[in-house]
Amino acid sequence: MNPASVVGIPSTIPKGAPPVRHYLQFSDLSASEYQYLLRRAAFIKAKFKTFTRHQPLVDRTLAMIFEKASTRTRVSFEAGMYQLGGSVVHLTTGDSQLGRAEPIEDSARVISRMADLVMIRTFEQTKIERFAEFSRVPVINGLTNEFHPCQILADIFTYIEHRGPIAGKTVAWIGDGNNMANTWLQAATLLNFKVNISTPQGYEINEKIASSPYGISADSYQTYSSPQAACKAADLVTTDVWTSMGFEAENEVRKQAFAAWRVSTDMMAVAKPQALFMHCLPAHRSEEVDADVIDGPQSVVWDEAENRMHVQKALMEYLLLGQLD
Ligand code: CP
């Protein structure tokens, strides 16, 4: 006899329960789901700004697993989950069995029996995919080597807040062909805008990722050898650190290779007069961006950072409760 049935506790997920939705890449949601999420994030932000309680996730727990450092991702998910009425468990590789070679599949099975949502920041995308495969609850990508979907969701929300719809607009990506660049390309394909991308030689976007199996259309982007040319007539200019987490050993070589890819006031001058500047942060002034740009009038980086929390609250609510309006 199944001991669980004796005490009336279901031993498996109930039959007929809706399939678990994960958010591992930007392309995991549809354009219409993004329309809802962006609208919902504005509603949730307005509540936050007027000190109006919004607690649809009372008694729900978010487990956050960090295998890399974080400021914004941790604070935005943690504060956001508390504001939604839930609670948070914070795990790192150093203070859990994750760092002592417990198989990721076993960790997923165990953690997802106790938490209602899991957010993971890790290295390879395959790692979060393996976790998700064995998780009974939604898994959210808080950054992998390949993708950073929550950041791009916040960036798009921020663009819309300041300038209206992003469809038909041009985003200039200047710098490393990294996880942010990949995710911008997924977003451009899905939401119908363009990305002009300029990277130093040897740091181009990965062609395998920039392809249809990853939800990226070749029509959604154009590559430029000159960063100035990529910025021309852009509606948004954005960049990231020259050395992403996990690539620190390449730092000095990268500084040389990226020297001409620092976003400057000259680059902003060839973008549209109303162009915005974004950076996912943390930033290194006088490396990937001049202080005059990041601290200048076109920069919206602080709104962008804050908006991580608002869009992720909408995302967590959606993954657990579905569409509410
Ligand atoms: N932008 C971002 O993900 O910031 P953190 O690394 O501080 O989380």
Side-chain angles (χ1 to χ4, degrees), residues 26-27 146-147 152 156 171-173 177-199 204-207 209-211 214-223:
F26 198 89
S27 56
E146 289 85 355
F147 299 110
I152 300 303
I156 289 169
V171 175
W173 175 263
N178 64 6
N179 48 8
M180 286 286 294
N182 293 335
T183 314
W184 270 116
L185 299 188
Q186 288 193 326
T189 302
L190 202 56
L191 303 181
N192 206 21
F193 60 90
K194 294 255 188 249
V195 181
N196 291 346
I197 183 159
S198 180
T199 63
E204 295 87 355
I205 44 167
N206 180 333
E207 278 183 18
I209 292 179
S211 61
Y214 284 94
I216 296 173
S217 157
D219 297 339
S220 68
Y221 71 96
Q222 187 161 352
T223 55

Short mmCIF file of all heavy atoms in Angstrom, two decimals, residues 26-27 146-147 152 156 171-173 177-199 204-207 209-211 214-223:
data_model
loop_
_atom_site.label_atom_id
_atom_site.label_comp_id
_atom_site.label_asym_id
_atom_site.label_seq_id
_atom_site.Cartn_x
_atom_site.Cartn_y
_atom_site.Cartn_z
N PHE A 26 14.12 33.51 -23.76
CA PHE A 26 13.09 34.50 -24.10
C PHE A 26 12.03 33.85 -25.00
O PHE A 26 10.84 34.16 -24.91
CB PHE A 26 13.73 35.70 -24.80
CG PHE A 26 12.86 36.92 -24.79
CD1 PHE A 26 12.92 37.83 -23.75
CD2 PHE A 26 11.96 37.16 -25.83
CE1 PHE A 26 12.10 38.96 -23.72
CE2 PHE A 26 11.14 38.28 -25.82
CZ PHE A 26 11.21 39.18 -24.76
N SER A 27 12.47 32.93 -25.87
CA SER A 27 11.54 32.33 -26.84
C SER A 27 10.59 31.32 -26.19
O SER A 27 9.78 30.72 -26.89
CB SER A 27 12.34 31.65 -27.96
OG SER A 27 13.24 30.72 -27.40
N GLU A 146 24.47 31.45 -22.00
CA GLU A 146 23.85 31.66 -23.32
C GLU A 146 22.74 32.72 -23.33
O GLU A 146 22.55 33.39 -24.34
CB GLU A 146 23.28 30.34 -23.86
CG GLU A 146 24.34 29.34 -24.28
CD GLU A 146 24.88 28.49 -23.14
OE1 GLU A 146 24.49 28.74 -21.97
OE2 GLU A 146 25.68 27.58 -23.40
N PHE A 147 21.97 32.84 -22.23
CA PHE A 147 20.78 33.70 -22.26
C PHE A 147 20.58 34.44 -20.93
O PHE A 147 21.00 33.96 -19.88
CB PHE A 147 19.52 32.86 -22.55
CG PHE A 147 19.55 32.17 -23.89
CD1 PHE A 147 19.68 30.78 -23.97
CD2 PHE A 147 19.46 32.88 -25.08
CE1 PHE A 147 19.72 30.13 -25.21
CE2 PHE A 147 19.50 32.25 -26.32
CZ PHE A 147 19.62 30.86 -26.38
N ILE A 152 16.32 41.09 -20.49
CA ILE A 152 15.78 41.67 -21.73
C ILE A 152 14.30 42.01 -21.56
O ILE A 152 13.82 43.01 -22.10
CB ILE A 152 16.01 40.71 -22.93
CG1 ILE A 152 17.52 40.47 -23.11
CG2 ILE A 152 15.40 41.28 -24.21
CD1 ILE A 152 18.38 41.70 -23.30
N ILE A 156 13.00 45.75 -22.34
CA ILE A 156 11.89 46.07 -23.27
C ILE A 156 10.80 46.85 -22.52
O ILE A 156 10.26 47.83 -23.05
CB ILE A 156 11.38 44.77 -23.92
CG1 ILE A 156 12.44 44.28 -24.90
CG2 ILE A 156 10.04 44.99 -24.61
CD1 ILE A 156 12.21 42.89 -25.43
N VAL A 171 17.51 48.48 -32.26
CA VAL A 171 18.37 48.41 -31.07
C VAL A 171 19.81 48.20 -31.56
O VAL A 171 20.05 47.28 -32.36
CB VAL A 171 17.95 47.24 -30.16
CG1 VAL A 171 18.91 47.07 -28.99
CG2 VAL A 171 16.52 47.42 -29.67
N ALA A 172 20.75 49.02 -31.09
CA ALA A 172 22.17 48.80 -31.44
C ALA A 172 22.84 48.07 -30.27
O ALA A 172 22.85 48.59 -29.14
CB ALA A 172 22.85 50.14 -31.69
N TRP A 173 23.36 46.88 -30.56
CA TRP A 173 24.09 46.13 -29.54
C TRP A 173 25.59 46.30 -29.83
O TRP A 173 26.08 45.92 -30.89
CB TRP A 173 23.74 44.64 -29.57
CG TRP A 173 24.61 43.88 -28.59
CD1 TRP A 173 25.75 43.20 -28.87
CD2 TRP A 173 24.45 43.84 -27.17
NE1 TRP A 173 26.31 42.71 -27.71
CE2 TRP A 173 25.53 43.09 -26.66
CE3 TRP A 173 23.49 44.35 -26.29
CZ2 TRP A 173 25.69 42.85 -25.29
CZ3 TRP A 173 23.65 44.11 -24.93
CH2 TRP A 173 24.73 43.36 -24.45
N GLY A 177 29.47 39.44 -28.12
CA GLY A 177 28.37 38.60 -28.63
C GLY A 177 27.97 37.58 -27.58
O GLY A 177 28.10 36.37 -27.78
N ASN A 178 27.45 38.06 -26.47
CA ASN A 178 27.26 37.22 -25.28
C ASN A 178 25.79 36.83 -25.05
O ASN A 178 24.95 36.95 -25.95
CB ASN A 178 27.85 37.94 -24.05
CG ASN A 178 27.11 39.24 -23.74
OD1 ASN A 178 26.09 39.56 -24.35
ND2 ASN A 178 27.61 39.98 -22.77
N ASN A 179 25.48 36.42 -23.82
CA ASN A 179 24.12 35.99 -23.47
C ASN A 179 23.09 37.10 -23.68
O ASN A 179 21.95 36.84 -24.08
CB ASN A 179 24.08 35.46 -22.02
CG ASN A 179 24.77 36.38 -21.02
OD1 ASN A 179 25.17 37.51 -21.34
ND2 ASN A 179 24.94 35.91 -19.80
N MET A 180 23.47 38.35 -23.40
CA MET A 180 22.55 39.48 -23.61
C MET A 180 22.27 39.65 -25.11
O MET A 180 21.12 39.85 -25.52
CB MET A 180 23.16 40.76 -23.04
CG MET A 180 23.14 40.84 -21.53
SD MET A 180 21.47 41.17 -20.93
CE MET A 180 21.20 42.82 -21.56
N ALA A 181 23.34 39.60 -25.92
CA ALA A 181 23.15 39.75 -27.37
C ALA A 181 22.24 38.65 -27.90
O ALA A 181 21.30 38.92 -28.66
CB ALA A 181 24.51 39.71 -28.06
N ASN A 182 22.50 37.41 -27.50
CA ASN A 182 21.65 36.29 -27.96
C ASN A 182 20.19 36.53 -27.61
O ASN A 182 19.28 36.26 -28.40
CB ASN A 182 22.08 34.98 -27.29
CG ASN A 182 23.46 34.52 -27.72
OD1 ASN A 182 23.93 34.88 -28.79
ND2 ASN A 182 24.11 33.74 -26.87
N THR A 183 19.96 37.04 -26.40
CA THR A 183 18.58 37.20 -25.94
C THR A 183 17.91 38.36 -26.66
O THR A 183 16.71 38.30 -26.98
CB THR A 183 18.54 37.36 -24.41
OG1 THR A 183 19.38 36.38 -23.82
CG2 THR A 183 17.13 37.20 -23.88
N TRP A 184 18.66 39.43 -26.94
CA TRP A 184 18.10 40.53 -27.75
C TRP A 184 17.62 39.99 -29.10
O TRP A 184 16.57 40.38 -29.62
CB TRP A 184 19.13 41.64 -27.97
CG TRP A 184 19.13 42.71 -26.92
CD1 TRP A 184 20.14 43.02 -26.05
CD2 TRP A 184 18.06 43.63 -26.63
NE1 TRP A 184 19.76 44.06 -25.24
CE2 TRP A 184 18.50 44.46 -25.57
CE3 TRP A 184 16.78 43.83 -27.15
CZ2 TRP A 184 17.71 45.48 -25.03
CZ3 TRP A 184 15.98 44.86 -26.61
CH2 TRP A 184 16.44 45.65 -25.57
N LEU A 185 18.41 39.07 -29.69
CA LEU A 185 18.03 38.54 -31.01
C LEU A 185 16.75 37.70 -30.92
O LEU A 185 15.90 37.77 -31.81
CB LEU A 185 19.17 37.71 -31.60
CG LEU A 185 20.49 38.45 -31.85
CD1 LEU A 185 21.47 37.58 -32.63
CD2 LEU A 185 20.27 39.76 -32.60
N GLN A 186 16.62 36.93 -29.85
CA GLN A 186 15.36 36.18 -29.67
C GLN A 186 14.18 37.14 -29.54
O GLN A 186 13.12 36.92 -30.12
CB GLN A 186 15.44 35.30 -28.42
CG GLN A 186 16.35 34.10 -28.56
CD GLN A 186 16.15 33.10 -27.44
OE1 GLN A 186 15.86 33.48 -26.30
NE2 GLN A 186 16.33 31.83 -27.73
N ALA A 187 14.39 38.20 -28.76
CA ALA A 187 13.30 39.16 -28.53
C ALA A 187 12.93 39.89 -29.82
O ALA A 187 11.75 40.11 -30.10
CB ALA A 187 13.71 40.15 -27.45
N ALA A 188 13.95 40.25 -30.61
CA ALA A 188 13.69 40.98 -31.86
C ALA A 188 12.86 40.13 -32.82
O ALA A 188 11.94 40.62 -33.47
CB ALA A 188 15.01 41.38 -32.50
N THR A 189 13.18 38.85 -32.88
CA THR A 189 12.45 37.94 -33.77
C THR A 189 10.99 37.83 -33.33
O THR A 189 10.06 37.90 -34.15
CB THR A 189 13.11 36.54 -33.75
OG1 THR A 189 14.48 36.69 -34.14
CG2 THR A 189 12.40 35.58 -34.68
N LEU A 190 10.79 37.72 -32.03
CA LEU A 190 9.43 37.50 -31.50
C LEU A 190 8.59 38.78 -31.51
O LEU A 190 7.39 38.75 -31.78
CB LEU A 190 9.57 36.97 -30.07
CG LEU A 190 8.44 36.21 -29.45
CD1 LEU A 190 8.03 35.01 -30.30
CD2 LEU A 190 8.85 35.72 -28.06
N LEU A 191 9.22 39.91 -31.20
CA LEU A 191 8.45 41.14 -31.00
C LEU A 191 8.62 42.13 -32.15
O LEU A 191 8.23 43.29 -32.05
CB LEU A 191 8.84 41.78 -29.66
CG LEU A 191 8.63 40.87 -28.43
CD1 LEU A 191 9.02 41.59 -27.14
CD2 LEU A 191 7.19 40.37 -28.34
N ASN A 192 9.28 41.65 -33.22
CA ASN A 192 9.26 42.42 -34.47
C ASN A 192 10.00 43.75 -34.42
O ASN A 192 9.47 44.77 -34.82
CB ASN A 192 7.79 42.63 -34.88
CG ASN A 192 7.65 42.81 -36.37
OD1 ASN A 192 8.53 42.41 -37.13
ND2 ASN A 192 6.56 43.45 -36.77
N PHE A 193 11.22 43.73 -33.89
CA PHE A 193 12.11 44.89 -34.04
C PHE A 193 13.45 44.39 -34.57
O PHE A 193 13.62 43.19 -34.81
CB PHE A 193 12.24 45.67 -32.72
CG PHE A 193 12.79 44.90 -31.55
CD1 PHE A 193 14.16 44.88 -31.29
CD2 PHE A 193 11.94 44.24 -30.67
CE1 PHE A 193 14.66 44.18 -30.20
CE2 PHE A 193 12.44 43.54 -29.57
CZ PHE A 193 13.80 43.51 -29.34
N LYS A 194 14.38 45.33 -34.81
CA LYS A 194 15.67 44.96 -35.42
C LYS A 194 16.81 45.19 -34.44
O LYS A 194 16.75 46.11 -33.62
CB LYS A 194 15.94 45.84 -36.65
CG LYS A 194 15.00 45.64 -37.79
CD LYS A 194 15.71 44.85 -38.90
CE LYS A 194 14.86 44.79 -40.15
NZ LYS A 194 14.35 43.47 -40.44
N VAL A 195 17.87 44.40 -34.59
CA VAL A 195 19.09 44.62 -33.80
C VAL A 195 20.25 44.84 -34.77
O VAL A 195 20.48 44.02 -35.66
CB VAL A 195 19.40 43.42 -32.88
CG1 VAL A 195 20.67 43.70 -32.07
CG2 VAL A 195 18.23 43.14 -31.93
N ASN A 196 20.93 45.97 -34.61
CA ASN A 196 22.22 46.19 -35.29
C ASN A 196 23.30 45.76 -34.32
O ASN A 196 23.36 46.28 -33.20
CB ASN A 196 22.43 47.68 -35.60
CG ASN A 196 21.49 48.19 -36.67
OD1 ASN A 196 20.85 47.41 -37.36
ND2 ASN A 196 21.42 49.52 -36.80
N ILE A 197 24.13 44.82 -34.72
CA ILE A 197 25.07 44.25 -33.77
C ILE A 197 26.50 44.45 -34.24
O ILE A 197 26.83 44.17 -35.38
CB ILE A 197 24.72 42.76 -33.51
CG1 ILE A 197 25.62 42.15 -32.47
CG2 ILE A 197 24.72 41.92 -34.75
CD1 ILE A 197 25.01 40.91 -31.83
N SER A 198 27.32 45.00 -33.36
CA SER A 198 28.74 45.20 -33.69
C SER A 198 29.60 44.64 -32.57
O SER A 198 29.49 45.08 -31.42
CB SER A 198 29.04 46.69 -33.90
OG SER A 198 30.40 46.85 -34.22
N THR A 199 30.43 43.67 -32.91
CA THR A 199 31.32 43.03 -31.94
C THR A 199 32.73 43.05 -32.51
O THR A 199 32.92 43.03 -33.73
CB THR A 199 30.92 41.55 -31.73
OG1 THR A 199 31.07 40.86 -32.98
CG2 THR A 199 29.49 41.39 -31.25
N GLU A 204 32.17 37.50 -31.98
CA GLU A 204 30.87 37.57 -32.65
C GLU A 204 29.84 36.70 -31.93
O GLU A 204 30.20 35.83 -31.14
CB GLU A 204 31.01 37.05 -34.10
CG GLU A 204 31.89 37.90 -34.99
CD GLU A 204 33.38 37.52 -34.93
OE1 GLU A 204 33.75 36.64 -34.11
OE2 GLU A 204 34.16 38.12 -35.69
N ILE A 205 28.58 36.92 -32.27
CA ILE A 205 27.54 36.03 -31.74
C ILE A 205 27.77 34.62 -32.30
O ILE A 205 28.27 34.46 -33.41
CB ILE A 205 26.11 36.52 -32.11
CG1 ILE A 205 26.05 36.94 -33.57
CG2 ILE A 205 25.64 37.59 -31.18
CD1 ILE A 205 24.67 37.14 -34.07
N ASN A 206 27.40 33.65 -31.50
CA ASN A 206 27.54 32.25 -31.88
C ASN A 206 26.51 31.92 -32.96
O ASN A 206 25.31 32.01 -32.72
CB ASN A 206 27.32 31.39 -30.61
CG ASN A 206 27.45 29.92 -30.88
OD1 ASN A 206 27.22 29.45 -31.98
ND2 ASN A 206 27.81 29.20 -29.83
N GLU A 207 27.00 31.55 -34.14
CA GLU A 207 26.07 31.33 -35.27
C GLU A 207 25.09 30.20 -35.01
O GLU A 207 23.98 30.21 -35.52
CB GLU A 207 26.87 31.06 -36.55
CG GLU A 207 27.33 32.35 -37.18
CD GLU A 207 28.07 32.14 -38.48
OE1 GLU A 207 27.95 31.07 -39.08
OE2 GLU A 207 28.78 33.09 -38.87
N ILE A 209 23.70 29.56 -32.16
CA ILE A 209 22.60 30.10 -31.35
C ILE A 209 21.75 31.06 -32.18
O ILE A 209 20.52 31.06 -32.07
CB ILE A 209 23.15 30.77 -30.08
CG1 ILE A 209 23.76 29.69 -29.16
CG2 ILE A 209 22.05 31.54 -29.33
CD1 ILE A 209 24.35 30.21 -27.88
N ALA A 210 22.40 31.86 -33.02
CA ALA A 210 21.67 32.86 -33.81
C ALA A 210 20.99 32.20 -35.00
O ALA A 210 21.23 32.55 -36.16
CB ALA A 210 22.62 33.96 -34.25
N SER A 211 20.13 31.25 -34.73
CA SER A 211 19.49 30.49 -35.81
C SER A 211 18.09 30.06 -35.37
O SER A 211 17.72 30.17 -34.20
CB SER A 211 20.34 29.26 -36.14
OG SER A 211 20.43 28.44 -34.99
N TYR A 214 16.82 28.22 -32.17
CA TYR A 214 16.79 29.03 -30.94
C TYR A 214 15.81 30.19 -31.06
O TYR A 214 15.86 31.14 -30.27
CB TYR A 214 18.20 29.55 -30.61
CG TYR A 214 19.09 28.47 -30.03
CD1 TYR A 214 19.92 27.73 -30.86
CD2 TYR A 214 19.05 28.16 -28.68
CE1 TYR A 214 20.72 26.71 -30.35
CE2 TYR A 214 19.84 27.15 -28.16
CZ TYR A 214 20.67 26.43 -29.00
OH TYR A 214 21.44 25.43 -28.48
N GLY A 215 14.96 30.15 -32.07
CA GLY A 215 13.94 31.20 -32.20
C GLY A 215 14.51 32.51 -32.69
O GLY A 215 13.97 33.58 -32.38
N ILE A 216 15.60 32.46 -33.46
CA ILE A 216 16.21 33.69 -33.98
C ILE A 216 16.16 33.66 -35.51
O ILE A 216 16.67 32.73 -36.14
CB ILE A 216 17.66 33.85 -33.48
CG1 ILE A 216 17.67 34.01 -31.96
CG2 ILE A 216 18.35 35.04 -34.16
CD1 ILE A 216 19.05 34.02 -31.32
N SER A 217 15.55 34.70 -36.08
CA SER A 217 15.48 34.81 -37.53
C SER A 217 16.61 35.71 -38.02
O SER A 217 16.90 36.75 -37.41
CB SER A 217 14.12 35.43 -37.92
OG SER A 217 14.22 36.03 -39.18
N ALA A 218 17.22 35.31 -39.15
CA ALA A 218 18.32 36.11 -39.73
C ALA A 218 17.82 37.51 -40.12
O ALA A 218 18.61 38.46 -40.20
CB ALA A 218 18.90 35.40 -40.94
N ASP A 219 16.51 37.65 -40.36
CA ASP A 219 15.95 38.96 -40.74
C ASP A 219 15.90 39.93 -39.57
O ASP A 219 15.67 41.12 -39.75
CB ASP A 219 14.50 38.80 -41.23
CG ASP A 219 14.44 37.96 -42.48
OD1 ASP A 219 15.48 37.87 -43.16
OD2 ASP A 219 13.36 37.40 -42.76
N SER A 220 16.09 39.42 -38.35
CA SER A 220 15.91 40.29 -37.17
C SER A 220 17.17 41.07 -36.82
O SER A 220 17.13 41.93 -35.95
CB SER A 220 15.48 39.45 -35.96
OG SER A 220 16.55 38.61 -35.57
N TYR A 221 18.28 40.77 -37.49
CA TYR A 221 19.51 41.48 -37.11
C TYR A 221 20.45 41.67 -38.30
O TYR A 221 20.36 40.98 -39.30
CB TYR A 221 20.24 40.75 -35.98
CG TYR A 221 20.88 39.43 -36.36
CD1 TYR A 221 22.23 39.36 -36.70
CD2 TYR A 221 20.15 38.25 -36.38
CE1 TYR A 221 22.82 38.16 -37.04
CE2 TYR A 221 20.72 37.05 -36.71
CZ TYR A 221 22.06 37.00 -37.04
OH TYR A 221 22.65 35.81 -37.38
N GLN A 222 21.32 42.67 -38.14
CA GLN A 222 22.36 42.94 -39.13
C GLN A 222 23.66 43.17 -38.39
O GLN A 222 23.67 43.86 -37.36
CB GLN A 222 21.97 44.18 -39.94
CG GLN A 222 22.90 44.41 -41.09
CD GLN A 222 22.30 45.33 -42.15
OE1 GLN A 222 21.10 45.68 -42.09
NE2 GLN A 222 23.11 45.74 -43.08
N THR A 223 24.76 42.60 -38.90
CA THR A 223 26.05 42.77 -38.22
C THR A 223 26.85 43.89 -38.88
O THR A 223 26.77 44.10 -40.10
CB THR A 223 26.87 41.47 -38.23
OG1 THR A 223 27.00 41.03 -39.57
CG2 THR A 223 26.20 40.38 -37.41
#
